Amino acid sequence: MPVIASWAPARTRREQPRHDGRVHRKTVTVVFCDVVGSTALGDVADPEALQALLARYFERMKAVVASYGGSVEKFIGDAVMAVFGVPAVHEDDALRAVRAAAEMRDAFPSLGVRGRIGVNTGEVVVGTAERLATGDAVNVAARLQQAAEPNEILLGKATHDLVRFAVDAVPVEPLELKGKAEPVAAYRLEAVREAPERAHDAPFVGREREVASIRGAWERAVAAERCELVTVIGDAGVGKSRLVAETLAELDARVVRGRCLPYGDGITYWPVLGVVNQLGARPVDEAAAEAIGSLVGEVNRVAGPDEVGWAFRKLLEQEAPLIVVFDDLQWGEETVLDLVEAVALLSTGAPILLVCMARPELLARRPEWPVGVRLEPLLPDAVDEILAALPEDTRARVASAAGGNPLFLTEMLAMAEKDGEVVVPPTLRALLGARLDQLDAAERTVLERGAVEGEIFHRGAVQAMLPADVQVTPKLAALVRRQLIRPDRTQIAGDDGFRFSHLLIRDAAYEALPKATRVELHERFADWLDQRPADVVELDEIVGYHLEQAASFRAELGQPDERLSLRAAARLATAARRRLRPGNDRMARGLFARAVQLTRPFTVDAKLELDYAETVHWVDAAAAVQISAAAAQRAQSAGDVLGDLLARMAEGYFRILSEARPDVDAVEALALKALPLAEAANDDAALVWIWRALGYGVANYRQEAEAWGEASLRCVEHARAAGWPKGEAFGLAGALMWGPRPADEALRTLDELANELADGAYDHKRAYLLAALGRFDDAWAVAAPATERMREFGDGRYLDGLFDIAALQGDYDLAVQYGQEVVAIVAERGLVAFQASFGVRLGTYLCRLGRFEDAAPYAAFALEMDPDDWAALAVQAQVLAHRGDDAAAEGLARAAVARGEETDMLTGQGDAHWGLAEVLLAAGRAEAAEEAFGQALDRYERK
């Protein structure tokens, strides 16, 4: 590191601030330094002497801070508050701050004071008129300073995480700090070391062409005995240092290195000094030797830039063959850039290879600078090789976020391997923040507006979020040149599409926006998007998301906005209803959950709550009951009579589907009481729920299939009027499958409604009807893809149709295999009504295989749920017959037949008569059994 003088240097061009006067969120490092015992000093020192001492102290502290690129915000009594990252963020702000803190501590003795220092890193708001930085990170830095011992430096955890590779620090007992509910981790700084070279643990892949370019330049330099210049240009982290290190390791050559520094005094010739010191030699030419001696402080005179450049060139020619590497040339002073160019152009008679590494900012300063290698992000195959150890889904997320940048890939790979999460390490956040702070105000504004839309964004959207007179296209072109974005296929007709070079840039640009600004921009983008409904797939979901973001940030700022929240909820609910299918698509459940969270602080929307409960029911039946009950309480408190009735009705409806011996009559009474209120209000959404409860709930439970079907058709009509494509969730296909309509007629009815009902569960019912008609190939062709869709959507009944089709085909072994799996799934989710229903059918098929004892538990469970379950009675009768209890078996079997005849479910009636026939056969009564089989055949044929 350079020797830091005690005065503040003038800013070089590369250090000019880019602060544009706007408010931003950014991550900075704050240093608080205070004098210990200043009150006591006042008691013993003359006021003028004390004033002079403090003036020297403040001047020295300010100079140290400035020399590392920090800004002194203010003096508070005897304390100094400095911020690193304002006006411009640097990727090493935390290390700069810690080095500054160490130098401030080392200056205390010469100033005749003792002090204590706290250093903390965190997100703050900058750009306000009152102060440089505002946020909790500032408060914690002050508290750390107060907790430090005299002449001690305490680092916050975030700071320590960023600099741990370059410091010696020991943890202290977690600190109880004012304003903090939990103890705060801190570290005592012992010493600051040189930062080590970045480790290269990942495989070196995908750079064959670039390696050949550098190797070829060295071969030309040796063959022609001349100087060759190769400049490797690339973004931070793209692998410049790794490329050069791997290439030079294969060459039989002497290599010396110099690095340009971004801050400090006396750094103009720092990279040249590094090379001279590594060579350990002086030019033979006396004049050249004197100039080099002047550079290193051996001669008491100052050599001019031309003289130093000439002498340095002579030294390199003398020591050749030689490879000279200059790193971070974008930070080099103009004098050094001139020197490197002069060596490349004027050296003669000696094989020298100059390898320069720089970020694209070098070309902004020197557009004519020759570029030998422009290092691009890695291609997908190379990325996959680096990330090979990760699971496929994690690998895809890391690859998407990192955009082929090797540093980003390896840092995020390390985090993913350690924690299993794809998170952005703080080192990368700092690097990305620094890159954004290099943009001018207009370019950054355009980039931030694009980030509001997302990883892919459109020129028109950016323009809509800016004043009309702002010219967006030139700024987008500039951002493309800077490789922050690239053109992409548009999703909006007549517009231009762009994509962020990698997701991390998008996130960094977005997170820098103040939340208040995000509110405005998200709503403005939603309004713009709403004007393009024909161009956008899933418009409601996307608009709902952006309105939700706006509402959420309003709430986080302590300014909840009812208008925004309800508007967002309405769009999310609409999107959810478009996705709503039986068993429910997980995405619909998530959309409903977000919608209810937005509405609950402001109003009671019982129908929205019930739609949410329906989707929850398929994964957690008890939770659906609780959601409905809570909605009823809120509706009652709000005086919403219809909402209260609907929610209590839905609570009972979910109990029918998930609990033993539900109060079906109470559900029917509530539905009939709500019906005239909903009809008078023309409330189609409420009428959907009422007819669902009367059909899928009440009529289905009572096994009145025709009434169930009629109620389901009412649901379809009202859903259509409400604009809800809700599909088979109303149970119509089930009613047609089990009810009295012949299979061919039921199939025609389903086909007529296919556009509204088509989903996995609907297709299962349709496949069953095809199988009932003997069209087994057609049935399996429909059922197999439906099963995969239901499995993908998380519908626990995805094997429901398969085991019935297998049974119709006579393959009871396959039917039992499928049946056991689906019963286990619905049981795990607490769907006990389905567990009983599926279990009885499974028991029926087990009996047909002669596995009566295996069937017994399924019948017992269903009878525990409902002692009058006639399908379960038929199975239990066959179990008893197998055990030899003929009289009891016949009694149960005839009760099952009698109860079944009170319903209109033909297939179930046939199964009951079949069960009776098996019982009679077991008792040796073949003639009576033949009659029972005939009755079963009659029901099957009628179906």
Side-chain angles (χ1 to χ4, degrees):
M1 294 298 295
V3 176
I4 306 297
S6 61
W7 60 85
R11 287 188 181 271
T12 65
R13 183 167 67 171
R14 66 178 185 278
E15 285 286 308
Q16 287 299 316
R18 293 242 180 213
H19 182 56
D20 53 21
R22 296 180 303 146
V23 176
H24 279 102
R25 300 172 71 96
K26 60 170 62 178
T27 299
V28 303
T29 301
V30 181
V31 177
F32 261 93
C33 174
D34 195 11
V35 173
V36 177
S38 59
T39 303
L41 280 174
D43 290 339
V44 299
D46 183 86
E48 292 185 32
L50 178 60
Q51 182 186 35
L53 183 151
L54 292 178
R56 290 194 302 274
Y57 159 74
F58 286 134
E59 182 182 358
R60 183 64 182 277
M61 297 301 104
K62 185 175 181 180
V64 170
V65 169
S67 68
Y68 287 95
S71 301
V72 174
E73 170 155 325
K74 59 183 176 181
F75 301 112
I76 311 168
D78 305 321
V80 177
M81 173 186 167
V83 182
F84 290 79
V86 177
V89 169
H90 309 92
E91 62 198 73
D92 58 347
D93 276 323
L95 185 56
R96 293 182 185 214
V98 172
R99 290 193 187 281
E103 187 170 337
M104 293 161 80
R105 178 187 60 187
D106 294 344
F108 290 156
S110 64
L111 294 170
V113 300
R114 294 193 305 162
R116 52 193 180 196
I117 300 174
V119 186
N120 190 52
T121 302
E123 191 177 44
V124 299
V125 174
V126 302
T128 61
E130 295 79 12
R131 56 191 307 179
L132 287 178
T134 304
D136 188 58
V138 178
N139 300 329
V140 172
R143 302 297 182 208
L144 290 172
Q145 176 266 128
Q146 293 166 3
E149 296 294 328
N151 292 345
E152 184 177 72
I153 301 171
L154 290 182
L155 309 180
K157 183 179 185 303
T159 303
H160 180 262
D161 289 346
L162 285 164
V163 303
R164 63 183 184 277
F165 61 87
V167 302
D168 295 324
V170 295
V172 299
E173 284 294 320
L175 303 174
E176 301 285 347
L177 300 184
K178 183 179 179 181
K180 289 292 180 182
E182 300 293 333
V184 173
Y187 299 79
R188 183 173 58 250
L189 179 68
E190 302 289 344
V192 185
R193 297 179 273 102
E194 287 294 326
E197 291 290 330
R198 185 177 293 146
H200 298 302
D201 299 325
F204 181 65
V205 294
R207 300 302 195 195
E208 293 79 6
R209 180 178 58 82
E210 293 83 355
V211 168
S213 179
I214 298 174
R215 185 186 295 119
W218 173 242
E219 291 171 353
R220 290 192 301 273
V222 172
E225 292 193 335
R226 69 185 188 200
C227 182
E228 289 277 335
L229 169 64
V230 176
T231 302
V232 181
I233 295 289
D235 292 330
V238 81
K240 301 183 294 295
S241 298
R242 181 73 182 278
L243 168 67
V244 171
E246 295 285 347
T247 304
L248 299 189
E250 298 177 359
L251 301 180
D252 183 16
R254 183 184 183 189
V255 180
V256 290
R257 293 175 170 83
R259 177 184 295 274
C260 300
L261 298 175
Y263 61 88
D265 289 347
I267 63 171
T268 297
Y269 287 113
W270 184 256
V272 177
L273 283 169
V275 171
V276 170
N277 290 335
Q278 290 171 54
L279 288 174
R282 297 291 180 269
V284 174
D285 185 285
E286 291 184 5
E290 184 177 347
I292 295 296
S294 169
L295 183 66
V296 299
E298 296 172 347
V299 176
N300 190 23
R301 79 174 185 87
V302 177
D306 290 341
E307 187 179 3
V308 170
W310 167 77
F312 183 65
R313 189 166 68 250
K314 290 300 179 185
L315 178 61
L316 297 184
E317 292 170 353
Q318 173 184 305
E319 298 297 311
L322 193 64
I323 298 178
V324 182
V325 178
F326 288 114
D327 200 357
D328 286 324
L329 201 63
Q330 75 279 353
W331 287 332
E333 300 284 0
E334 295 297 322
T335 300
V336 167
L337 298 183
D338 291 340
L339 180 149
V340 172
E341 280 191 313
V343 171
L345 295 171
L346 302 179
S347 291
T348 59
I352 301 170
L353 175 62
L354 296 179
V355 180
C356 299
M357 292 175 278
R359 298 180 188 176
E361 298 92 273
L362 173 65
L363 302 183
R365 294 170 57 190
R366 295 278 183 107
E368 72 284 357
W369 192 276
V371 177
V373 175
R374 190 179 292 274
L375 206 56
E376 302 289 347
L378 293 172
L379 295 175
D381 288 347
V383 171
D384 287 342
E385 190 171 345
I386 291 176
L387 302 179
L390 292 179
E392 184 176 351
D393 60 335
T394 306
R395 184 164 66 244
R397 294 201 304 275
V398 171
S400 173
N405 184 295
L407 173 62
F408 296 178
L409 287 167
T410 53
E411 292 271 341
M412 296 180 73
L413 170 63
M415 297 291 283
E417 289 179 331
K418 177 182 177 182
D419 303 324
E421 297 290 333
V422 180
V423 296
V424 183
T427 49
L428 298 191
R429 291 184 182 276
L431 190 151
L432 293 166
R435 188 172 182 192
L436 292 181
D437 268 9
Q438 294 165 6
L439 301 175
D440 67 34
E443 290 171 352
R444 180 160 186 166
T445 298
V446 167
L447 194 72
E448 290 167 347
R449 269 58 182 171
V452 170
E453 181 174 355
E455 183 180 7
I456 298 174
F457 64 95
H458 295 83
R459 175 187 50 77
V462 173
Q463 186 69 71
M465 289 183 272
L466 288 168
D469 60 347
V470 174
Q471 296 298 311
V472 170
T473 301
K475 299 305 176 184
L476 290 169
L479 293 170
V480 171
R481 285 194 298 272
R482 289 179 176 270
Q483 298 183 324
L484 293 169
I485 63 174
R486 62 177 183 268
D488 201 81
R489 184 168 53 192
T490 183
Q491 298 173 357
I492 305 292
D495 208 335
D496 296 320
F498 296 88
R499 179 189 291 271
F500 281 88
S501 297
H502 47 79
L503 193 57
L504 299 184
I505 287 286
R506 180 265 164 191
D507 291 346
Y510 180 78
E511 289 166 5
L513 286 168
K515 291 182 178 180
T517 304
R518 295 181 207 175
V519 171
E520 175 190 351
L521 296 180
H522 276 295
E523 186 170 17
R524 198 181 299 175
F525 173 71
D527 291 340
W528 176 82
L529 201 61
D530 244 347
Q531 299 169 15
R532 288 149 184 83
D535 298 315
V536 184
V537 179
E538 303 296 350
L539 177 69
D540 289 305
E541 185 175 338
I542 298 172
V543 170
Y545 165 79
H546 285 279
L547 294 173
E548 176 190 30
Q549 293 298 103
S552 298
F553 288 128
R554 272 272 184 253
E556 290 177 21
L557 293 170
Q559 303 165 1
D561 189 320
E562 179 176 1
R563 177 193 62 83
L564 260 180
S565 297
L566 298 185
R567 186 183 173 198
R571 299 305 287 268
L572 292 174
T574 299
R577 289 177 180 119
R578 292 188 187 282
R579 294 179 177 273
L580 188 59
R581 293 295 182 266
N584 195 70
D585 179 333
R586 288 186 295 267
M587 188 170 291
R589 183 165 56 251
L591 291 167
F592 275 133
R594 289 157 56 192
V596 297
Q597 289 302 317
L598 287 162
T599 59
R600 283 174 180 170
F602 304 103
T603 188
V604 181
D605 188 337
K607 296 182 286 292
L608 175 61
E609 295 280 353
L610 302 188
D611 283 340
Y612 173 48
E614 179 194 4
T615 65
V616 171
H617 169 259
W618 298 106
V619 292
D620 188 344
V625 172
Q626 294 169 359
I627 292 168
S628 304
Q633 290 178 351
R634 290 198 297 273
Q636 189 177 58
S637 299
D640 181 357
V641 176
L642 179 57
D644 175 35
L645 287 171
L646 289 174
R648 286 192 287 135
M649 176 198 73
E651 179 187 354
Y653 164 79
F654 289 124
R655 292 186 187 279
I656 290 174
L657 299 181
S658 61
E659 296 182 3
R661 307 181 187 184
D663 191 344
V664 179
D665 293 340
V667 175
E668 183 179 37
L670 287 167
L672 294 176
K673 188 174 181 180
L675 183 59
L677 297 178
E679 289 177 336
N682 291 319
D683 191 337
D684 288 300
L687 289 166
V688 168
W689 264 102
I690 291 168
W691 286 110
R692 176 191 289 150
L694 290 172
Y696 201 99
V698 174
N700 181 17
Y701 185 86
R702 293 173 177 167
Q703 299 184 321
E704 299 168 350
E706 193 65 18
W708 175 13
E710 291 297 328
S712 297
L713 283 172
R714 295 285 191 94
C715 285
V716 171
E717 293 169 6
H718 289 295
R720 186 185 298 140
W724 299 357
K726 289 197 129 180
E728 203 275 330
F730 307 124
L732 176 60
L736 291 170
M737 172 181 169
W738 299 115
R741 298 191 192 190
D744 54 354
E745 181 183 336
L747 189 61
R748 284 194 299 272
T749 303
L750 286 184
D751 287 343
E752 290 169 1
L753 294 169
N755 289 336
E756 291 181 83
L757 303 186
D759 57 44
Y762 158 85
D763 283 342
H764 267 183
K765 306 300 189 295
R766 186 171 180 275
Y768 175 89
L769 292 170
L770 289 167
L773 293 169
R775 297 166 57 183
F776 292 109
D777 289 342
D778 293 338
W780 287 114
V782 172
T787 295
E788 290 309 309
R789 289 203 308 276
M790 295 173 73
R791 190 199 306 267
E792 179 184 347
F793 289 156
D795 188 336
R797 304 167 303 158
Y798 59 85
L799 296 173
D800 172 16
L802 300 189
F803 81 99
D804 288 318
I805 295 171
L808 284 173
Q809 201 166 6
D811 189 344
Y812 293 115
D813 287 312
L814 183 59
V816 166
Q817 176 185 329
Y818 286 144
Q820 288 174 330
E821 187 173 343
V822 73
V823 168
I825 292 171
V826 295
E828 181 183 356
R829 299 184 181 190
L831 299 168
V832 293
F834 287 96
Q835 181 183 351
S837 175
F838 294 163
V840 168
R841 282 148 60 194
L842 173 58
T844 299
Y845 305 146
L846 285 165
C847 287
R848 292 178 186 176
L849 287 171
R851 296 169 56 182
F852 299 103
E853 293 304 326
D854 290 338
Y858 297 107
F861 180 82
L863 290 170
E864 182 181 346
M865 291 281 294
D866 180 4
D868 295 326
D869 186 327
W870 50 282
L873 290 174
V875 174
Q876 183 67 11
Q878 294 174 76
V879 173
L880 292 180
H882 168 70
R883 293 173 179 172
D885 192 348
D886 295 337
E890 184 175 351
L892 289 180
R894 292 195 180 280
V897 167
R899 178 70 185 87
E901 291 298 325
E902 296 173 1
T903 76
D904 58 1
M905 293 188 165
L906 289 176
T907 304
Q909 291 174 3
D911 290 343
H913 282 287
W914 187 334
L916 174 59
E918 295 286 0
V919 167
L920 293 171
L921 271 181
R925 299 167 59 190
E927 186 175 342
E930 183 178 356
E931 180 183 353
F933 276 128
Q935 292 294 326
L937 182 60
D938 171 71
R939 303 313 189 275
Y940 295 147
E941 288 178 338
R942 285 160 58 189
K943 183 60 186 176

